[in-house]
């Protein structure tokens, strides 16, 4: 990659495990100073420790991305430690397998609050900080194939991820004049712990009858013939944080092995 993330100060939310942990690790390997932020502060602490043991520079922060006061505090801690904020990854997200007719208002609001409101709050607070610094920045949001198409057993999750794409486009148009780019990327199926929960939900709702049937069936049409792991995604996420992506804004980059072709 010709661009660099070296010495960039980067926050990754939802980085206590899964995709976010992979993204934070790759950024650190490439020389970024990373804040590993997660609702689960212990997990965030372990990921940051692993990064430091591998020779990288990382701190951990406990945060609920849907709580503005906590998001402000997260940014303040990072600025206190490293002096500024260059890139925010709004990656924290939750999901649920649930047939359309069974989605409750509580389910809808719970998922929307983290996946969509969390992105709004994170973007606003990062922009506030980046504007004060006066030299631009980058915001990268984790969308999904579910942000491009609606699936029957993920209506609320899809709605929350379509919102991520909308927020990305609106923010790109709002903050280009501040030198702040805003992009998102859309994974397809990433084998993380999230899928264990989706698999359990599917069994409970009678959508599937045996463990792992959900991921197997959902993945059967991936053109590249397999589900992904975080390693498959981090080339794009580190690129989106790097100088190499400076002329890209408002975009959604699909990293799904060929599930949604648009
Ligand atoms: P995961 O469940 O393994 O990890 C998500 C992390 O987010 C957890 O550590 C969790 O503690 C944290 N989190 C949850 N709510 C939070 C909150 N309110 N504030 C801060 N942190 C919170 O999931 P993952 O598979 O790594 O997913 C990461 C992102 O990628 C999510 O936005 C998800 O929707 C998206 N995504 C995942 C897949 C996939 O197949 N795994 C596909 C497309 C998109």
């Amino acid at each position: 990659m010709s661009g660099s993330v070296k010495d960039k100060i980067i926050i990754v939310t939802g980085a206590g495990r899964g995709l976010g942990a992979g993204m934070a690790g790759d950024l650190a390997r490439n020389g970024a100073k990373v804040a590993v932020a997660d609702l689960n502060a212990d997990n965030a602490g372990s990921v940051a420790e692993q990064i430091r043991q591998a020779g990288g520079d990382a701190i951990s922060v406990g945060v609920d991305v849907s709580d503005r006061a906590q998001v402000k505090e997260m940014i303040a801690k990072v600025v206190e430690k490293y002096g500024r904020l260059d890139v925010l990854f709004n990656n924290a997200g939750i999901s649920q397998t649930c047939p359309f007719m069974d989605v409750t208002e509580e389910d809808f609001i719970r998922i929307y609050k983290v996946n969509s409101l969390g992105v709004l709050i994170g973007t606003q607070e990062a922009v506030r900080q980046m504007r004060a610094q006066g030299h631009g920045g980058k915001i990268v949001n984790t969308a999904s194939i579910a942000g491009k198409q609606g699936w029957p057993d993920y209506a609320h999750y899809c709605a929350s991820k379509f919102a991520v794409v909308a927020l990305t486009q609106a923010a790109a148009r709002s903050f280009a004049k501040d030198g702040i780019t805003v992009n998102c990327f859309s994974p397809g199926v990433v084998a993380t712990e999230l899928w264990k929960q989706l698999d359990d939900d599917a069994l409970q709702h009678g959508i599937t009858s045996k463990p792992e049937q959900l991921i197997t069936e959902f993945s059967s049409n991936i053109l590249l013939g397999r589900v992904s792991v975080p390693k498959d995604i981090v080339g794009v996420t580190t690129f989106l944080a790097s100088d190499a992506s400076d002329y890209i804004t408002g975009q959604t980059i699909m990293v799904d092995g060929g599930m949604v072709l648009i």
Side-chain angles (χ1 to χ4, degrees), residues 14 17 19 38-39 63-65 91 142-143 157 161 188 190 192 195:
R17 71 178 196 191
L19 188 47
D38 203 285
L39 188 61
V63 69
D64 178 346
V65 297
N91 170 73
T142 304
Y157 179 68
K161 290 295 185 178
V190 196
T192 64
W195 273 95

Side-chain angles (χ1 to χ4, degrees), residues 72 75-76 79 83-86 123-139 175 177-180:
K72 275 178 189 282
I75 293 174
V79 173
R84 59 176 201 280
L85 172 65
D86 297 318
T123 301
Q124 289 174 331
E125 295 307 326
V127 166
R128 238 184 273 291
Q129 175 62 30
M130 288 168 183
R131 274 181 170 164
Q133 294 168 184
H135 47 74
K138 289 172 187 278
I139 294 167
F175 308 123
K177 60 182 176 305
D178 300 295
I180 298 169

Side-chain angles (χ1 to χ4, degrees), residues 4 17 44 48 121 143 180 196 205 210 218 227 232 241 259:
S4 168
R17 71 178 196 191
I121 292 173
I180 298 169
K196 294 194 183 108
H205 284 287
K210 54 179 194 293
F218 204 84
V227 302
D232 294 307
M259 292 185 80

Side-chain angles (χ1 to χ4, degrees), residues 13-21 23 37-41 43-44 61-67 70 90-95 110 113-115 118 141-146 157 160-161 164 185-195 197-198 215 228 230 233:
T13 69
R17 71 178 196 191
L19 188 47
M23 287 155 57
D38 203 285
L39 188 61
N40 186 322
N43 283 359
V61 192
V63 69
D64 178 346
V65 297
S66 66
D67 180 327
Q70 293 189 34
N90 286 311
N91 170 73
I94 55 174
S95 187
R110 179 171 46 84
K113 223 177 142 182
V114 179
N115 295 8
N141 301 322
T142 304
S144 169
I145 50 169
Y157 179 68
S160 77
K161 290 295 185 178
V164 172
F185 63 96
S186 288
V189 178
V190 196
T192 64
E193 284 179 63
L194 183 69
W195 273 95
Q197 178 221 314
L198 298 180
I215 192 164
S228 62
I233 314 292

